[in-house]
């Protein structure tokens, strides 16, 4: 008998039709489980009850630790009986944020953009994704790609990737792709036009369709298409009169329609303006739960709407389908996050490299830098708590660094007081990452006397500088989510400090730690300026490596530095009227339209303090033999080739930038960035460089948005191609022109 059973089992395994004495036909083998994410999502969806579906589109408040299964900024409860895991969210534009746990503080996202290097940006994203996963979390609230450069005083500029939609979109895409490669769902935010923090829940961005498509929305489009990121966070603000999270034109028409985005839309925390209307407008999941707006998007309100016929159940199914599908696409089911120690050492090395590649040398008169340790006997290190650490940005992107904060200070809030219920920066803290410039500089110049002065008294700082061979002044500006800067002047009269030091020592080097553009009234009187942004966990080592020449700076500004706030499209930041009103108020973005940053300065014919794309090196480069090939056979666009030579005495890297001038009458600014390449070259070496511009690229490099055809069109006429190493006309050469049309 035992033998017969074993025999049957063997035969069954082989798939034979019968076994035993009688002839019994066995059922056909079950179809293999689907591998397609849409089919897998549908299979699960078909087994979910209404309650389970409602639970899956509803966020729970976990901002307070101890509420959810882990410290996290968001929590959606999974469905255990079907093997659907919880979704656990954490912020992370500059490293894993929130109070998840100590994480590697990367330099600002803006510093990552300043590398102009997609491989470098990928490594940056990898750190975020891997550490998030190591904390057992599976969704990242990062990817801030707002063009806050419209408002360079915006307190979140450090989280963004600058003013140009193509550069910002591509850098963001590299971050997001890397995060998803760690099986963590990545996303972009804040969709859309969340370009000022002041009264952000009331600000109504007024902008025409073409301008939006060719600026902020284009950055989102590129970031999503190039990365396949699966989530989009809608914003607090209104766009043309409708709250972003209930804006059907934004979410249904543009995002899910024109961009063909297959993932899910989640709200910014508490940004859900309504229940059924928002769901119908394209919102798929509420973050964070019904804490503030109790009941707006509660399970009950959606259930009632479905029962009453106010919302078709197919809409709820689609919401859940999109979330499940995203989980399959990214690998959340197949590669669940598991808690393990983060690789703090390896990730710190990435943080250092990101800063070394992103710091921008703005001035270097008389080859002041690099410093030669052998010939310097004394160095004054002044200001910005450079004895203990480097500054970081505040708000939800705040990283609590490995090793703990070197110093915490109360927030420096601007004078504008939001109306009751509005967000203020008061919850934030100024955190200095544990990376001491004083220690790093001393390590580079072990034989020199390196002395610190805190900079609070310009006179004593100047006296120390006068008795030192070199003075290095650290100047800093804190910024945070929930606030905008009043102006672009460094706080606490640090300009007087720089003036005093520069007046007493002709070898004054200024190192800037700030979120975005700043004014530098003392620029003419100092020898060198290094823009270090918020430098991150290993910022001091990176800065010292650059100051002493172990690393040759190669970063380029991803954002223009204006010479005056009077040159901005809005010299003062719009606020509610009257200031204590909680009603929406207009922020007029039709002033500059799509001409953000360098495009604006080109249009108004005003020179910025430092142009977009600018950055010096310890060597020099030449670009020669420019050759333009229109109608490039492969790309349908064009390609430009040239000889790039390192004409100086040390190895370095140059970012060759390609800008396109559109036909007169196309209504475009004088030029648009369409491509670039960062090329490392040994001293004296040269290389033939080709940059191909694909007409079908996600950045629509040859196209404008046509409101007539509701699509991208290539206008007829003459195009001019420029190549150089910044957006300033003086730094660009004409590669040639080509004609489109008859
Ligand atoms: C921010 C988002 C963030 C969310 C969750 C909001 O205040 O605007 O960027 O992801 O909080 O922390």
């Amino acid at each position: 008998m035992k033998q017969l059973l074993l025999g049957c089992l063997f035969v069954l395994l082989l798939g034979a039709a019968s076994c035993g004495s009688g002839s019994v036909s066995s059922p056909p083998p079950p179809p293999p489980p689907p591998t397609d994410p849409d089919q897998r999502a549908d299979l699960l969806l078909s087994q979910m009850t209404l309650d389970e579906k409602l639970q899956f589109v509803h966020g729970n408040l976990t901002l307070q630790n101890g509420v959810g299964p882990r410290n996290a900024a968001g929590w959606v409860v999974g469905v255990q009986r079907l093997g659907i895991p919880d979704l656990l969210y954490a912020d992370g534009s500059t490293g894993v944020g929130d109070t998840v746990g100590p994480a590697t503080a990367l330099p600002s996202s803006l510093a990552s953009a300043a590398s102009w290097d997609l491989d470098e940006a990928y490594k940056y994203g990898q750190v975020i994704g891997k550490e998030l996963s190591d904390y057992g979390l599976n969704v990242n609230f990062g990817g801030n790609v707002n063009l806050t450069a419209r408002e360079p005083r915006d307190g979140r500029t450090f989280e963004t990737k600058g003013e140009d939609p193509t550069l910002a979109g591509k850098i963001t895409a590299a971050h997001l792709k890397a995060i998803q490669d760690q099986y963590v769902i990545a996303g972009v935010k804040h969709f859309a036009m969340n370009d000022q923090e002041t009264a952000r829940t009331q600000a109504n961005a007024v902008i025409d369709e073409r301008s939006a498509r060719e600026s902020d929305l284009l950055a989102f489009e590129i970031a999503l298409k190039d990365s396949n990121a699966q989530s989009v966070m809608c914003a607090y603000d209104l766009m043309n009169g409708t709250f972003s999270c209930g804006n059907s034109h934004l979410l249904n028409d543009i995002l899910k329609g024109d961009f063909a985005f297959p993932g899910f839309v989640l709200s910014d925390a508490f940004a859900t303006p309504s229940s059924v209307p928002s769901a119908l407008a394209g919102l798929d999941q509420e973050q964070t739960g019904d804490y503030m707006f109790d009941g707006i998007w509660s399970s009950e309100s959606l259930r009632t709407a479905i029962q009453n016929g106010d919302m078709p159940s197919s809409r709820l199914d689609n919401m859940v389908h999109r979330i499940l599908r995203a989980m399959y696409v990214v690998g959340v089911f197949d590669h669940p996050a598991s808690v393990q120690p983060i690789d703090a050492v390896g990730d710190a090395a990435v943080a250092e490299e990101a800063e070394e590649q992103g710091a921008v040398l703005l001035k270097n008169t008389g080859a002041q830098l690099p410093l030669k340790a052998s010939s310097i006997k004394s160095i004054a290190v002044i200001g910005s708590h450079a004895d203990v650490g480097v500054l970081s940005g505040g708000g939800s992107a705040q990283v609590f660094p490995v090793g703990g904060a070197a110093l915490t200070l109360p927030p420096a809030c601007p004078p504008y007081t939001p109306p009751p219920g509005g967000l203020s920066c008061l919850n934030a803290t100024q955190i200095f990452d544990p990376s001491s410039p004083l220690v790093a500089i001393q390590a580079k110049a072990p034989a020199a006397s390196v002395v610190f002065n805190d900079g609070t008294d310009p006179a004593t700082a100047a006296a120390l500088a006068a008795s030192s061979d070199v003075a290095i002044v650290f100047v800093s500006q804190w910024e945070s989510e929930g606030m905008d800067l009043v102006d672009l002047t460094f706080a606490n009269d640090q300009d007087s400090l720089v003036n005093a030091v520069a007046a007493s020592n002709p070898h004054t080097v200024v190192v800037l730690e700030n979120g975005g553009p700043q004014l530098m009234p003392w620029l003419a009187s100092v020898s060198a300026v290094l823009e270090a942004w918020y430098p991150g966990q290993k910022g001091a080592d990176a800065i010292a490596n650059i100051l002493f020449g172990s690393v040759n700076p190669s970063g380029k500004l991803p954002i223009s530095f204006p010479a005056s706030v009077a040159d901005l499209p809005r010299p003062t930041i719009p606020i509610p009227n009257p200031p204590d009103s909680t009603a929406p108020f207009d922020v007029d973005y039709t002033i500059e339209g799509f001409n953000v940053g360098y495009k604006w300065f080109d249009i108004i014919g005003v020179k910025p303090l430092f142009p977009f794309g600018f950055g010096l090196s310890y060597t020099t480069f030449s670009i020669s033999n420019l050759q333009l090939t229109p109608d490039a056979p492969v790309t349908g666009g064009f390609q430009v080739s040239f000889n790039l030579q390192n004409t100086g005495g040390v190895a370095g890297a140059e970012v060759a930038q390609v800008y396109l001038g559109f036909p007169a009458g196309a209504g475009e600014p004088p030029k648009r960035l369409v491509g670039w390449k960062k090329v490392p070259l040994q001293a004296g070496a040269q290389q033939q460089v080709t940059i191909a511009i694909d007409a079908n690229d996600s950045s629509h490099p040859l196209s404008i948005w046509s409101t007539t055809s509701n699509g991208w069109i290539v206008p007829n006429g003459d195009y001019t191609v420029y190549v150089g190493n910044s957006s300033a006309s003086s730094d660009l050469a004409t590669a040639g022109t080509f004609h489109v049309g008859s």
Side-chain angles (χ1 to χ4, degrees), residues 550-568:
S550 320
V551 169
N552 188 351
S554 59
K556 304 277 182 182
L557 292 180
I559 192 164
S560 308
F561 278 40
S564 157
V565 288
D567 299 338
L568 298 174

Side-chain angles (χ1 to χ4, degrees), residues 124-346:
Y124 184 102
Q126 235 174 356
V127 169
I128 298 172
K130 184 67 174 62
E131 292 195 2
L132 214 124
S133 169
D134 289 345
Y135 273 108
L137 313 180
N138 48 23
V139 191
N140 174 238
F141 285 144
N144 188 341
V145 71
N146 288 129
L147 295 193
T148 65
R150 286 185 186 280
E151 180 42 78
R153 292 157 290 203
D154 185 303
R156 302 189 80 166
T157 303
F158 73 97
E159 291 179 41
T160 70
K161 287 83 189 171
E163 69 193 27
D164 182 83
T166 301
L167 179 66
K170 303 261 173 204
I171 293 284
T172 304
H175 293 171
L176 303 183
K177 186 164 183 338
I179 291 169
Q180 291 202 161
D181 284 351
Q182 302 301 318
Y183 314 118
V184 168
I185 296 174
V188 285
K189 68 184 186 185
H190 310 83
F191 195 66
M193 310 295 307
N194 188 173
D195 294 336
Q196 71 169 46
E197 283 298 283
T198 304
R200 64 181 179 177
T201 55
Q202 301 159 250
N204 176 38
V206 179
I207 189 158
D208 61 280
E209 185 76 16
R210 175 175 171 189
S211 292
R213 298 277 190 157
E214 291 191 28
S215 58
D216 295 53
L217 299 186
L218 179 57
F220 281 97
E221 182 177 358
I222 298 167
L224 287 172
K225 288 184 174 167
D226 285 18
S227 70
N228 196 28
Q230 291 296 313
S231 74
V232 170
M233 180 187 283
C234 52
Y236 287 117
D237 62 303
L238 305 87
M239 185 169 156
N240 294 327
T242 308
F243 278 107
S244 299
C245 291
N247 192 321
S248 181
H249 183 50
L250 260 184
L251 306 183
N252 281 334
D253 300 347
I254 297 176
L255 180 66
K256 294 181 177 177
D258 295 339
F259 297 178
F261 171 65
F264 64 104
V265 178
L266 52 85
S267 68
D268 201 341
F270 322 120
T272 308
S274 59
S275 174
V276 177
S278 295
L280 294 178
L283 180 63
D284 298 307
Q285 189 181 68
E286 180 194 33
Q287 292 293 331
T288 292
D290 50 3
Y291 164 68
M292 246 172 161
F293 302 142
D294 193 22
I296 284 185
W297 178 283
S298 67
S299 302
E300 286 321 304
S301 63
L302 293 184
R303 187 198 310 276
T304 311
I306 290 172
Q307 280 162 358
N308 293 347
D310 293 334
M311 181 172 109
S313 57
S314 58
R315 174 66 194 116
L316 178 63
D317 284 352
N318 179 255
M319 288 150 69
V320 177
H321 172 96
R322 284 172 172 272
I323 303 165
L324 291 171
R325 181 191 180 282
M327 293 166 71
Y328 280 122
V329 167
V330 175
V332 170
F333 282 97
D334 302 335
H335 305 272
S338 62
V339 179
Q340 54 189 304
I342 62 166
D343 176 10
V345 174

Side-chain angles (χ1 to χ4, degrees), residues 336-361:
S338 62
V339 179
Q340 54 189 304
I342 62 166
D343 176 10
V345 174
D347 293 350
V350 176
E352 180 173 338
E353 189 179 295
E355 173 64 9
E356 287 168 353
Q357 295 300 312
V360 183
L361 183 63

Side-chain angles (χ1 to χ4, degrees), residues 371 376 378-390 435-445 448-456 460-475 497 501 505 507-511 513 540 543-544 547-548:
L371 299 172
I376 298 174
S378 53
I379 302 175
V381 175
I382 298 166
S384 293
H385 306 282
D387 53 336
V388 293
V390 291
S435 181
S436 158
L438 180 68
V439 170
I441 289 168
Q442 179 74 79
K444 287 283 176 188
S449 150
V450 182
V451 178
F452 179 69
N453 175 287
D454 71 7
T456 48
T460 56
L464 174 66
S467 63
S468 308
D469 290 345
V470 178
I472 306 175
V473 194
F474 286 79
V475 173
L497 173 67
V501 171
N505 188 319
H507 303 290
T508 295
V509 176
V510 181
V511 179
E513 294 172 13
I543 291 168
L547 293 178
F548 287 88

